[in-house]
Structures are given as structure tokens and as C-alpha cells.
Amino acid sequence: MQTFRSKIDWWVLGFIIAMTGLLLQLLVTMYAKGTMQEYTEHTAVYILTIAVLWWPILNTRYVVQEDTLIIHCLLFKWVIPVVSIEKITKTNHSISSPALSLNRLKIEYLKEGKSKYILVSPRNQQGFCQALQQKNSKIEATV
């Protein structure tokens, strides 16, 4: 089993750090004014928002097992049989996907006879493709 973490673009990380700083500033201000106990629902929402902002940074990963590729992001989990993967190509498509970078790989696979795809952004793209090709030598990879 090999685990590959998602590459993170600087602007994604910058946005999350800026939003976290803003929310922490609000919490510090509430604490300094003594209104934190009065507005507990605000405090809870700010803390929950910070957790949700950092969750994909800490959770987005791609696991290559013996016969499956498992993709984790937030509450979502995709399980793709390696034998169903047909092609891996580079892309910078900005469609929503379990990827924290625009430097992505498009994985094309078959599911119930239909062609599907998912976009991922592993830090080590070469190693990721090699790990999948070791499990299925029929995968066409242009990385």
C-alpha cells in the first residue's frame, strides 16, 4: 500500500491561512471584549469553520492498494478498481475534484461499462503513475 498526499497550490494555502487569521482575530476580539460567553454560537461557528478549512489540507490523499485506488477528500471516498483504469493524462482543468492544485492528473476508468474520470493532484506524479502501472501494466500514462 502506497499513500500519496495532494500537492497544494500556494494560493489555496494562502487563502486558508488568511481566512484562519481573520477568524482567529474575531475570536481574540470576542475574548478581549468578554463577549465569547455571550455569543457561544458565534464562537462555535468560527471554530468549526477553521476546522472545515483545514480538513482538506490534512485529509486529501490517494492510496494505491493491491487492486484498488482509494481517494480521500473531506467526507468523500472514491474506490476505483485498478484494473478499470485505462488512461492517465496531465491536465490543469479547474473543475471541482479531490485535488488541492491545478497541476492535476486525469484518471480515466470504466464503471459499470461507462467511461468516467476523476482529477487528482499527487505531489509525486511520476511515483503515483508508476505505482498504478505496477498494479496494471495496461494503463496508458502520459505524464
Side-chain angles (χ1 to χ4, degrees):
M1 176 175 80
Q2 290 179 283
T3 301
F4 296 88
R5 304 293 301 175
S6 179
K7 181 179 179 183
I8 304 168
D9 280 346
W10 66 268
W11 58 271
V12 173
L13 191 58
F15 173 79
I16 291 171
I17 291 170
M19 289 303 298
T20 301
L22 177 67
L23 291 167
L24 287 174
Q25 178 61 42
L26 289 170
L27 287 169
V28 168
T29 302
M30 285 175 64
Y31 180 76
K33 288 183 175 182
T35 60
M36 197 172 265
Q37 292 78 18
E38 187 178 342
Y39 298 106
T40 55
E41 64 278 357
H42 292 199
T43 303
V45 168
Y46 296 159
I47 292 170
L48 185 62
T49 302
I50 291 170
V52 169
L53 283 170
W54 283 96
W55 193 0
I57 299 290
L58 302 172
N59 182 355
T60 304
R61 64 191 183 281
Y62 319 109
V63 181
V64 179
Q65 292 183 339
E66 286 302 315
D67 56 350
T68 57
L69 167 63
I70 301 172
I71 300 168
H72 296 272
C73 184
L74 290 172
L75 293 172
F76 304 104
K77 180 178 170 182
W78 292 263
V79 179
I80 302 170
V82 174
V83 295
S84 70
I85 298 174
E86 297 178 323
K87 189 176 183 182
I88 302 173
T89 54
K90 280 191 168 196
T91 185
N92 59 1
H93 200 295
S94 61
I95 193 169
S96 178
S97 65
L100 301 173
S101 171
L102 290 178
N103 184 11
R104 300 173 171 189
L105 297 176
K106 179 180 182 181
I107 300 174
E108 298 177 44
Y109 63 98
L110 289 175
K111 183 176 181 180
E112 299 171 359
K114 295 181 181 179
S115 183
K116 303 263 186 181
Y117 73 90
I118 191 165
L119 304 179
V120 297
S121 62
R123 284 184 194 156
N124 180 359
Q125 291 185 350
Q126 293 288 347
F128 178 75
C129 289
Q130 288 173 355
L132 288 172
Q133 286 178 318
Q134 285 176 355
K135 308 295 181 193
N136 179 2
S137 59
K138 295 179 183 176
I139 296 174
E140 179 186 331
T142 55
V143 177

